[in-house]
Amino acid sequence: MRLEVKNLVKTYPLKRGEPVKALNGISLRFPEKGLVFILGKSGSGKSTLLNVMGGLDKADEGEIIINGKSSKDFSGSEMDSYRNTYLGFIFQEYNILNDFSVKENIALAIELQHRKADDAIIKNILEEVDLVGYERRKPNELSGGQKQRVAIARALVKEPQVLFADEPTGALDSNTGKQVFETLKKLSQTRLVIVVSHDREFAEYFGDRVIELKDGVIISDIIKTEEKAPELSEGLTLVGDSLIRIEKGHKLTNADIEKINGIIEGGEEAYVSVDPKVNKAIAASAMIAENGNRQRFSKTDNEAVDQGEGDWKVIKSKFPFRAAFRMGAKSLRVKPFRLVMTIILSTIAFTLFGVASTMATTDLQSMVTSSVFDNKVDTAFYKKTNQAGILSGLFSTDSNAPLSNEEVQKIRNDSGIDLRGEEKKRVAFANNASYSNTVYDPNVYGLVKADQDYFNSVGFTFTLGGMPVNDNDIVITKYIYESLLDSGVATEADIIGKKSLDNAYTICGVLDTKYDIQSIKAKVTDKAPTATQIISMLNNDRQFSFHSVGFVKNEVTPHAVIGKMPVGNYFGVSKAVAAYINSYKQVKSRLENGDSSAYYMKLCNSIVTECETIDMLFGVLSGVFTGFGVATAFFAALLFYNFISISINNKRREIGILRAVGARGWDVFKIYLSEAGIITAINILLALTFTFLISFAVNNAVRSGLAFSITVLMPGIIPIALIFGVAIGSAFISSFLPTFRLAHQKPVDAIREK
Ligand code: ADP
Ligand code: MG
């Protein structure tokens, strides 16, 4: 491992006053192993130098060269990889992750290097720092010294070639502090350890090299060398000119005593100590190594420093998703009220989008088709509809326009429905003068010539009696018949030839028109109609044609065709409905192009009319909902942004720590992606649930209001995709910015507590 820095300059601009030159041209070459101290008063630039060398901070000028690779040539996240691969950090404030146990803190460092954090590795490292049995403890259950040992273990477990420590003993008592230095000394036998300290005594005692800073400049750089102290005789050495060392087990000879006398001749006071504590202190202050060698500091020759070997080969960090997810999930709890508000607002917005797009994507054709199919409505009517009907969006009928035989044939071909048109004259219903000139109500969808031929073709049968013979004979439908019985106007026995209606007609037959009697009954009234209502229906309210009412002799309609829908076959019904809708679209475009003569054949029955109304209503509502949705989504996104920003702020220090350990900006991104992801997943789930619930509620309301089982709202793939898209999109936009800013921050800015 070769580490070198060249001409580092770092200036901090101040809001007031001259900028501070924290580093002012620092060049250093480091040895492959050994304990290097950086000494200096507070504010001299020690931490800045360490942070720059460790890639936590960026210098304004100069470069770091690691194994021949200059930081000037770093690209992307190589600085992070450099930390991840080569470095271990130990800080004064320990900087271990409070949400993670001892074991997890250590495991994370291993995993960032793509290694598996198995129990054996962790146990080994905990043995080294004397913390076996503390695996499951959380940092707040540890003493300061224990926390620092966890931090050391975390740094060591990466097997770093360089260990950086910034005042590692600053927060510890002197005894614990000394133990930490002893540990670092031991570690420096196999790697480079760079320690920042302001304690000169420790620095000179433990350090192999001591670099002193003042105002960002190196004022001294000394290196420790050892020389053998001269032997006075076997077992007796003279260290310097004034210290006599007697080796363990040596007995003084007469010759030795003479020599000693020669040294103490000057009359100076002398001690002979056998107290190990005193001896240690003497050795420390006189710089005597354990082997008795004399140590001496001399000026460092940077050019002569033995840098060792090594090639640039780094490991890109990989933050395990599990850990990222956990940190993300944890920070959700920080502001529960805001979180709930964010989720509520987002859910409202996305539900509005979901319902709006469900309405917008409701397809008239499938709505009609499935309703016809579900209700087993097997009769279909067509009538001509003119331009006013199309262009106003309202479906009115030109009641005076008869259908030609060709048109009837065309409808038959297009729809595939076996239908019949009628061409004969219309007969007014009653003698009543007010009806004599009335054209049938335009809403009478399908009157045809009532003859046996037609009944055969559509499968209508007489339940009682038969065709009208006299002008005042009337055939009633099974529906009217049942209504008469239900309302008590008549009994089964006194219907045919006996019962007269409106004092003008005698009932001659009851025709089963296969009409959906139940749905008509429900529409007219909850109960069966009263006698008065029946008579009034016969006279005026003939919306349901003779299928629901009845007919007199020679009764025909000039303008409608009727046929049986192939209800046994969904696709047949669908084809019939499609034929009508296509004709509608074609005519609409013709009309829009100025061709005012266009008519189209409208498929009519009560279901079609209701479906058209609902479809139109949905078109309008969907616009309204989209508008509200956009507004709500805007506020939801703002709240989301705010939430993520706050939670990032709360996690700044943790992120700084992770970066110091080796995590890349992208790893940090993952934490907040998980956080935003969790919120988004909840939003989507809720929005989908509400969209479906609202759809079912609307369906139920429509059904109970209409007496048809129409399925009007069915969230399909488009609304579901839209909810996913909008939710993910807005989460991405609102969490991207703050996260991006954070990920591109210098680690030192995150780690520095504010
Ligand atoms: P040391 O670690 O030796 O105490 P530092 O490296 O922390 O010193 O600081 C060196 C100088 O740079 C000091 O004068 C300090 O005030 C200044 N300094 C450090 N960090 C900042 C900062 N973020 N903004 C402004 N000035 C800073
Ligand atoms: Mg400092």
Side-chain angles (χ1 to χ4, degrees), residues 518-578:
Q518 289 315 314
S519 74
I520 299 166
K521 273 189 180 173
K523 192 172 166 77
V524 174
T525 163
D526 282 345
K527 292 178 255 116
T530 61
T532 325
Q533 279 172 330
I534 293 165
I535 290 162
S536 135
M537 279 166 66
L538 280 167
N539 284 330
N540 324 315
D541 187 21
R542 302 188 57 180
Q543 327 204 19
F544 305 107
S545 81
F546 79 71
H547 289 274
S548 58
V549 183
F551 61 95
V552 292
K553 196 179 170 190
N554 293 330
E555 179 166 328
V556 292
T557 172
H559 61 263
V561 287
I562 183 170
K564 265 176 93 72
M565 300 267 273
V567 282
N569 173 348
Y570 185 87
F571 297 101
V573 175
S574 176
K575 202 176 143 207
V577 178

Side-chain angles (χ1 to χ4, degrees), residues 10-15 19-23 38-51 57 166-167 196-198 213 215-216 748-749 752 754:
K10 170 103 188 159
T11 312
Y12 289 111
L14 289 186
K15 284 208 185 82
V20 181
K21 278 224 150 146
L23 298 179
I38 296 173
L39 207 60
K41 294 209 178 75
S42 176
S44 54
K46 307 182 293 291
S47 296
T48 307
L49 177 59
L50 203 73
N51 291 338
D57 204 350
D166 192 351
E167 312 222 14
V196 160
S197 171
H198 54 255
L213 293 186
D215 300 332
V748 72
D749 289 332
R752 210 179 270 140
K754 292 217 167 127

